[in-house]
Amino acid sequence: MNTEEVKGTLSNALKKNLLVKIVIVALIIIVVLWVLFSIKDYGKVNLIISNEEITSDSQPSVFKFSENDKVYFYIDRNIKSTLDCNTVAVVIDYYENNSYSLYKQITFEIDKKFKYLSTFIPQQYFSRAGKYQIKILLDGKLMATKEFEIEK
Protein backbone atom coordinates (compact mmCIF):
# COMPACT_ATOMS: atom_id res chain seq x y z
CA MET A 1 0.00 0.00 0.00
CA ASN A 2 1.26 3.36 -0.86
CA THR A 3 0.88 6.52 1.16
CA GLU A 4 -2.09 7.87 -0.79
CA GLU A 5 -4.07 4.65 -0.30
CA VAL A 6 -3.36 4.76 3.43
CA LYS A 7 -4.48 8.43 3.59
CA GLY A 8 -7.67 7.58 1.64
CA THR A 9 -8.47 4.64 3.90
CA LEU A 10 -7.84 6.73 7.02
CA SER A 11 -9.90 9.59 5.59
CA ASN A 12 -12.84 7.27 4.88
CA ALA A 13 -12.55 5.73 8.35
CA LEU A 14 -12.49 9.21 9.95
CA LYS A 15 -15.54 10.27 7.92
CA LYS A 16 -17.46 7.16 8.97
CA ASN A 17 -16.39 7.66 12.58
CA LEU A 18 -17.49 11.31 12.48
CA LEU A 19 -20.82 10.39 10.89
CA VAL A 20 -21.49 7.77 13.59
CA LYS A 21 -20.70 10.33 16.31
CA ILE A 22 -23.05 12.90 14.73
CA VAL A 23 -25.88 10.34 14.55
CA ILE A 24 -25.34 9.34 18.19
CA VAL A 25 -25.34 12.98 19.35
CA ALA A 26 -28.51 13.67 17.32
CA LEU A 27 -30.25 10.66 18.89
CA ILE A 28 -29.22 11.77 22.38
CA ILE A 29 -30.59 15.27 21.71
CA ILE A 30 -33.88 13.84 20.44
CA VAL A 31 -34.25 11.60 23.51
CA VAL A 32 -33.44 14.47 25.90
CA LEU A 33 -35.99 16.77 24.22
CA TRP A 34 -38.65 14.04 24.30
CA VAL A 35 -38.03 13.46 28.02
CA LEU A 36 -38.22 17.20 28.77
CA PHE A 37 -41.52 17.59 26.93
CA SER A 38 -42.95 14.49 28.61
CA ILE A 39 -41.90 15.57 32.10
CA LYS A 40 -43.76 18.88 31.88
CA ASP A 41 -47.07 16.93 31.69
CA TYR A 42 -46.08 14.30 34.25
CA GLY A 43 -48.50 14.30 37.13
CA LYS A 44 -50.82 16.98 35.77
CA VAL A 45 -54.52 16.40 36.20
CA ASN A 46 -56.98 15.81 33.40
CA LEU A 47 -60.34 17.39 34.40
CA ILE A 48 -63.52 16.78 32.41
CA ILE A 49 -66.93 18.23 33.28
CA SER A 50 -70.13 17.16 31.59
CA ASN A 51 -73.92 17.01 31.92
CA GLU A 52 -73.86 13.21 31.56
CA GLU A 53 -71.95 10.42 33.21
CA ILE A 54 -68.31 10.33 32.13
CA THR A 55 -66.95 6.88 31.39
CA SER A 56 -63.50 7.64 29.95
CA ASP A 57 -60.89 10.36 29.75
CA SER A 58 -61.55 10.85 26.04
CA GLN A 59 -64.94 12.53 26.48
CA PRO A 60 -65.04 16.27 25.79
CA SER A 61 -65.90 18.82 28.48
CA VAL A 62 -69.19 20.73 28.44
CA PHE A 63 -69.13 24.43 29.28
CA LYS A 64 -72.86 25.31 29.34
CA PHE A 65 -75.40 23.53 31.53
CA SER A 66 -79.11 24.00 31.95
CA GLU A 67 -80.56 24.71 35.37
CA ASN A 68 -81.70 21.09 35.92
CA ASP A 69 -78.51 19.37 34.72
CA LYS A 70 -76.28 17.42 37.05
CA VAL A 71 -72.65 18.46 36.75
CA TYR A 72 -70.45 15.39 36.42
CA PHE A 73 -66.70 15.55 36.73
CA TYR A 74 -63.87 13.15 36.02
CA ILE A 75 -60.24 13.50 37.05
CA ASP A 76 -57.18 11.41 36.39
CA ARG A 77 -53.47 12.06 36.04
CA ASN A 78 -51.52 12.55 32.84
CA ILE A 79 -48.85 9.86 32.45
CA LYS A 80 -49.11 8.75 36.12
CA SER A 81 -51.21 5.62 36.62
CA THR A 82 -52.88 6.70 39.90
CA LEU A 83 -54.11 9.90 41.52
CA ASP A 84 -51.41 9.41 44.19
CA CYS A 85 -53.09 11.52 46.88
CA ASN A 86 -55.15 11.10 50.04
CA THR A 87 -57.67 13.89 49.53
CA VAL A 88 -59.37 15.41 46.52
CA ALA A 89 -61.03 18.76 47.09
CA VAL A 90 -63.50 20.11 44.55
CA VAL A 91 -63.81 23.85 45.06
CA ILE A 92 -66.74 25.58 43.40
CA ASP A 93 -66.44 29.32 42.87
CA TYR A 94 -69.28 31.61 41.74
CA TYR A 95 -68.68 34.65 39.54
CA GLU A 96 -70.07 37.88 40.93
CA ASN A 97 -68.82 41.46 41.25
CA ASN A 98 -66.27 40.86 38.45
CA SER A 99 -64.44 38.01 40.16
CA TYR A 100 -64.80 34.43 41.34
CA SER A 101 -65.37 33.84 45.03
CA LEU A 102 -65.63 30.64 47.06
CA TYR A 103 -69.13 29.18 46.91
CA LYS A 104 -68.95 25.51 47.96
CA GLN A 105 -66.34 22.82 48.57
CA ILE A 106 -66.56 19.03 48.48
CA THR A 107 -63.73 16.89 49.86
CA PHE A 108 -63.15 13.21 49.13
CA GLU A 109 -60.82 11.00 51.13
CA ILE A 110 -59.44 8.39 48.77
CA ASP A 111 -56.85 5.66 48.55
CA LYS A 112 -53.59 6.68 46.87
CA LYS A 113 -54.07 3.85 44.37
CA PHE A 114 -57.28 5.28 42.82
CA LYS A 115 -56.74 5.56 39.08
CA TYR A 116 -59.43 8.24 38.68
CA LEU A 117 -62.38 9.87 40.43
CA SER A 118 -65.69 10.29 38.64
CA THR A 119 -68.94 11.47 40.20
CA PHE A 120 -71.55 14.21 39.99
CA ILE A 121 -72.19 17.34 41.99
CA PRO A 122 -75.82 17.69 43.12
CA GLN A 123 -77.99 20.25 41.33
CA GLN A 124 -78.57 22.08 44.61
CA TYR A 125 -74.96 23.30 44.46
CA PHE A 126 -75.82 25.26 41.33
CA SER A 127 -79.10 26.89 42.34
CA ARG A 128 -78.16 30.24 40.79
CA ALA A 129 -77.73 30.78 37.08
CA GLY A 130 -74.39 32.29 36.14
CA LYS A 131 -70.71 31.51 35.76
CA TYR A 132 -68.95 28.97 37.92
CA GLN A 133 -65.43 27.67 38.24
CA ILE A 134 -64.36 24.24 39.47
CA LYS A 135 -60.90 23.84 40.98
CA ILE A 136 -59.38 20.45 41.74
CA LEU A 137 -56.93 20.23 44.62
CA LEU A 138 -54.99 17.04 45.32
CA ASP A 139 -53.70 17.00 48.90
CA GLY A 140 -54.23 20.76 49.00
CA LYS A 141 -52.31 21.54 45.81
CA LEU A 142 -54.25 23.21 42.97
CA MET A 143 -54.01 20.93 39.95
CA ALA A 144 -56.78 21.93 37.49
CA THR A 145 -59.43 24.59 36.87
CA LYS A 146 -62.43 24.74 34.51
CA GLU A 147 -65.01 27.46 34.02
CA PHE A 148 -68.60 26.80 32.96
CA GLU A 149 -72.01 28.42 32.96
CA ILE A 150 -75.44 27.46 34.30
CA GLU A 151 -78.27 28.84 32.16
CA LYS A 152 -81.95 29.16 33.08
Side-chain angles (χ1 to χ4, degrees), residues 113 115 117 122 128 138 152:
K113 295 179 182 172
K115 294 181 184 283
L117 179 62
R128 299 188 284 177
L138 302 184
K152 282 195 176 213

Side-chain angles (χ1 to χ4, degrees), residues 9 19 25 40 43 66-67 69-70 80 105 108 112 117 120 131 137 149-150:
T9 306
L19 182 63
V25 168
K40 73 177 180 131
S66 70
E67 193 173 32
D69 285 345
K70 288 182 180 176
K80 267 186 160 181
Q105 180 172 327
F108 299 90
K112 281 186 175 273
L117 179 62
F120 74 92
K131 294 180 182 179
L137 289 83
E149 190 170 348
I150 304 289

Side-chain angles (χ1 to χ4, degrees), residues 67-71 92 103-104 120-128 132:
E67 193 173 32
N68 297 322
D69 285 345
K70 288 182 180 176
V71 176
I92 303 166
Y103 180 59
K104 302 276 184 188
F120 74 92
I121 302 169
Q123 296 162 294
Q124 294 82 358
Y125 280 56
F126 306 104
S127 58
R128 299 188 284 177
Y132 289 86

Side-chain angles (χ1 to χ4, degrees), residues 59-97:
Q59 286 183 240
S61 279
V62 174
F63 298 100
K64 289 194 184 245
F65 296 83
S66 70
E67 193 173 32
N68 297 322
D69 285 345
K70 288 182 180 176
V71 176
Y72 291 86
F73 73 91
Y74 174 98
I75 60 168
D76 67 357
R77 293 257 195 169
N78 295 341
I79 302 172
K80 267 186 160 181
S81 62
T82 66
L83 289 176
D84 192 28
C85 66
N86 293 314
T87 60
V88 175
V90 179
V91 177
I92 303 166
D93 295 334
Y94 183 73
Y95 188 81
E96 61 185 347
N97 300 326

Side-chain angles (χ1 to χ4, degrees), residues 4-28:
E4 287 187 21
E5 287 177 354
V6 171
K7 285 182 183 178
T9 306
L10 285 175
S11 177
N12 285 340
L14 288 174
K15 285 179 185 177
K16 286 180 185 177
N17 193 11
L18 181 62
L19 182 63
V20 168
K21 287 179 182 178
I22 289 172
V23 168
I24 290 172
V25 168
L27 288 173
I28 290 171

